Amino acid sequence: MLVSKRVKRLLKLVPGERRFGFYRFLPFFFVLGGAMEWFMINVRIGKETFYDVYRRKRSERLYEASMEKGE
């Protein structure tokens, strides 16, 4: 109950409630998505980024599919 009141009070502090309603939070989600995208492109964990792994897996799947067609 106490946490719910605190969350409601925090959400009331975000301006634009009357004009935009729930959509007033949209800029926060836009910035969060952009930050997540930047993190996946630029931050290396070990030796690879998210996109390095994605490209490698995609090429492996394409190679396996072409091998199955050739058999």
Side-chain angles (χ1 to χ4, degrees), residues 14-16 20-35:
V14 177
F20 299 115
F22 180 75
Y23 295 106
R24 70 184 189 263
F25 301 109
L26 197 59
F28 297 115
F29 293 115
F30 182 78
V31 169
L32 180 65

Side-chain angles (χ1 to χ4, degrees), residues 54 56-67:
Y54 172 76
R56 187 184 71 237
K57 291 288 186 182
R58 189 179 71 186
S59 65
E60 287 174 0
R61 286 188 201 112
L62 288 172
Y63 176 74
E64 289 175 1
S66 67
M67 291 303 289

Side-chain angles (χ1 to χ4, degrees), residues 39-50 52 55:
F39 183 85
M40 289 192 305
I41 292 170
N42 294 312
V43 175
R44 292 193 177 275
I45 298 176
K47 294 182 180 180
E48 295 181 316
T49 64
F50 170 80
D52 293 337
R55 279 181 266 160

